[in-house]
Amino acid sequence: MKKIAVLTSGGDAPGMNAAIRAVVKSCLHYGIVPVGIRDGFDGLINGWYDEMDYPAVNNIIHLGGTILGSARSEAFRTKEGRAKVVANFQQHGIEGLIVIGGDGSFTGAHVLSQEMELKVIGLPGTIDNDLYGTEATIGYDTALNTVMQAVDKIRDTASSHNRIFFVEVMGRDAGFLALNSAIAVGAESVLIPETVTDIDQLVSDIKQQNKGKRSSIIIVAEGDDAGGALDIMKQVRPHFPNYDLRATVLGHIQRGGSPTYYDRQLATRAGVKAVELLKDGASHLMVGIRADEMVTVPLKEAIEKQAIPDVSKEKLIDVLRTK
Ligand code: F6P
């Protein structure tokens, strides 16, 4: 293995730079040439390739976002687009590819590796935590902390004005961010895609909890079956004529920020592991973490199987709701 390419793809996530740093430094340690691909799959096709050295990754471990850039690529969906990648890789002598992203990004890498001799390793980089086979994805812990700090601020103003707030969090079709942030902020209710939302039950829960409290916070996963925070608020509002109801969509602040300790160590360990796997001839694997051990998962499983949050945690919210 003489030359390894690394790219970031899909929604960026805090910790991606720590992973890039670990990949580049590990390559250099093992005498392998690291090549950074700019702007994800667009860069793969357009040949935006930069050989990287130590200075290229100095002082980035704490930076959110990705120094390589990320982009979704329509051209990559075409055989002609992928043929350009094959030609580029052959021209540059690239034998291995590390993709830092989500399942959509891994699918692209898997397709590519079916059309050329290429070893691929996936690193789970997404704030959604929706990748099968790993307890955490790079960026998830930081996003959880961002949501927690934002909702704590909303609680201040909700309590001051005796208001009911519906707060929408990201997660695409998964409820990991919503469910676990709801526990951390003491939310009165949480709505996630993995369980059917019953508006009547929600109204009853809010009425019950409001007796003793000056505020209610309902965390709404953006992928919930009953809609986002605004939709839910509109459905609930008629039942609370004497209350101020507000909705806040946290949006893309959940994607930024300096990665937490957890994400930095996860990204660093995963980046080193990915290079060592390729160096030793492995391929078509995703690197994950379970019980604080780095593990590997067949890439196809990571792509095809679904990660489901522990919905039994919803009972915690019920037990802790003020009666
Ligand atoms: O996958 C990460 C994510 O932030 C999702 O949680 C969210 O639904 C999506 O990306 C937003 O995509 P975009 O950045 O293209 O708006």
Side-chain angles (χ1 to χ4, degrees), residues 187-190 201 205-206 208-209 314 316-323:
E188 281 71 22
S189 298
V190 62
Q201 181 61 55
D205 291 345
I206 296 174
Q208 180 190 64
Q209 75 208 13
E314 284 188 307
L316 281 174
I317 305 286
D318 292 338
V319 166
L320 297 168
R321 182 177 297 116
T322 304
K323 306 290 185 285

Side-chain angles (χ1 to χ4, degrees), residues 13-80:
M16 281 187 166
N17 283 324
I20 294 164
R21 169 182 175 275
V23 165
V24 170
K25 289 195 161 195
S26 307
C27 283
L28 296 171
H29 173 80
Y30 289 115
I32 297 170
V33 176
V35 176
I37 308 285
R38 283 188 287 109
D39 287 343
F41 285 88
D42 264 356
L44 269 185
I45 291 176
N46 296 313
W48 299 333
Y49 297 13
D50 299 324
E51 287 197 12
M52 300 181 83
D53 54 15
Y54 282 111
V57 292
N58 281 345
N59 298 327
I60 67 168
I61 196 168
H62 61 296
L63 298 180
T66 158
I67 60 167
L68 290 177
S70 178
R72 298 180 173 97
S73 166
E74 288 310 312
F76 189 80
R77 295 176 190 278
T78 67
K79 275 193 86 59
E80 297 72 26

Side-chain angles (χ1 to χ4, degrees), residues 23-268:
V23 165
V24 170
K25 289 195 161 195
S26 307
C27 283
L28 296 171
H29 173 80
Y30 289 115
I32 297 170
V33 176
V35 176
I37 308 285
R38 283 188 287 109
D39 287 343
F41 285 88
D42 264 356
L44 269 185
I45 291 176
N46 296 313
W48 299 333
Y49 297 13
D50 299 324
E51 287 197 12
M52 300 181 83
D53 54 15
Y54 282 111
V57 292
N58 281 345
N59 298 327
I60 67 168
I61 196 168
H62 61 296
L63 298 180
T66 158
I67 60 167
L68 290 177
S70 178
R72 298 180 173 97
S73 166
E74 288 310 312
F76 189 80
R77 295 176 190 278
T78 67
K79 275 193 86 59
E80 297 72 26
R82 293 195 298 273
K84 287 182 185 171
V85 180
V86 175
N88 285 339
F89 271 34
Q90 282 162 354
Q91 178 196 338
H92 287 260
I94 291 168
E95 303 156 274
L97 174 63
I98 295 171
V99 176
I100 307 170
D103 54 358
S105 308
F106 294 170
T107 302
H110 190 80
V111 167
L112 189 63
S113 70
Q114 306 299 302
E115 297 174 354
M116 66 177 291
E117 184 55 42
L118 178 70
K119 295 195 184 305
V120 294
I121 299 289
L123 295 188
T126 170
I127 66 167
D128 301 341
N129 202 45
D130 58 349
L131 276 169
Y132 174 84
T134 182
E135 282 171 3
T137 56
I138 296 166
Y140 174 58
D141 185 67
T142 305
L144 267 180
N145 281 282
T146 298
V147 170
M148 186 177 70
Q149 287 147 22
V151 176
D152 286 352
K153 292 180 173 67
I154 292 175
R155 177 74 75 177
D156 291 344
T157 180
S159 303
S160 304
H161 292 268
N162 200 4
R163 284 174 167 169
I164 301 169
F165 264 84
F166 299 81
V167 181
E168 184 175 311
V169 302
M170 283 185 160
R172 203 178 293 273
D173 305 325
F176 288 92
L177 277 171
L179 182 56
N180 291 305
S181 62
I183 293 167
V185 301
E188 281 71 22
S189 298
V190 62
L191 307 179
I192 58 175
E194 292 82 3
T195 51
V196 176
T197 291
D198 176 342
I199 294 294
D200 294 335
Q201 181 61 55
L202 175 63
V203 167
S204 158
D205 291 345
I206 296 174
K207 280 185 176 166
Q208 180 190 64
Q209 75 208 13
N210 250 313
K211 289 181 190 121
K213 292 198 75 175
R214 286 208 30 103
S215 67
S216 289
I217 302 275
I218 294 89
I219 301 289
V220 182
E222 65 177 341
D224 187 67
D225 60 293
L230 272 169
D231 306 312
I232 305 291
M233 182 181 73
K234 284 174 188 159
Q235 294 172 63
V236 167
R237 189 191 292 278
H239 301 275
F240 293 90
N242 304 321
Y243 270 88
D244 267 354
L245 278 64
R246 293 291 188 274
T248 300
V249 178
L250 292 184
H252 284 69
I253 62 164
Q254 297 165 88
R255 288 260 286 273
S258 176
T260 56
Y261 152 73
Y262 184 85
D263 277 333
R264 296 185 197 190
Q265 65 86 32
L266 171 59
T268 298

